[in-house]
Amino acid sequence: MNSSDPHAPPPPDDGTGSRQAGFLQVLCAVFSSFFGVRKRSVGVGDIVSIKPLHLNVAGLLGAAFLVTTLVLLVNYITRKG
């Protein structure tokens, strides 16, 4: 298989251990998934480094932030002045 193939699986672990994703990387993954702008190669790397629990928590926080922002925006627009 060609090493430049974007659909190729990640290389096998060489025993050094996988690096865990930071908080900012998890938030970027969730934010980009809300809008559907994610490269396959970046997604494959995130699958290896992001823990499912962290992804769930970040997703819930992102959804709560989005809903709260929309509610506040609608209240601001529809209020009587």
Side-chain angles (χ1 to χ4, degrees), residues 14-79:
D14 59 354
T16 60
S18 62
R19 183 170 178 247
Q20 294 299 318
F23 183 69
L24 186 60
Q25 183 180 356
V26 175
L27 287 181
C28 287
V30 170
F31 179 74
S32 63
S33 69
F34 279 170
F35 295 103
V37 289
R38 199 86 175 132
K39 288 185 178 181
R40 182 178 299 267
S41 61
V42 175
V44 169
D46 286 345
I47 289 172
V48 174
S49 64
I50 296 177
K51 292 183 180 180
L53 177 64
H54 296 163
L55 192 62
N56 289 336
V57 170
L60 289 174
L61 288 174
F65 178 76
L66 180 66
V67 169
T68 302
T69 302
L70 290 175
V71 168
L72 291 174
L73 181 64
V74 168
N75 283 337
Y76 178 75
I77 292 172
T78 60
R79 74 178 178 179

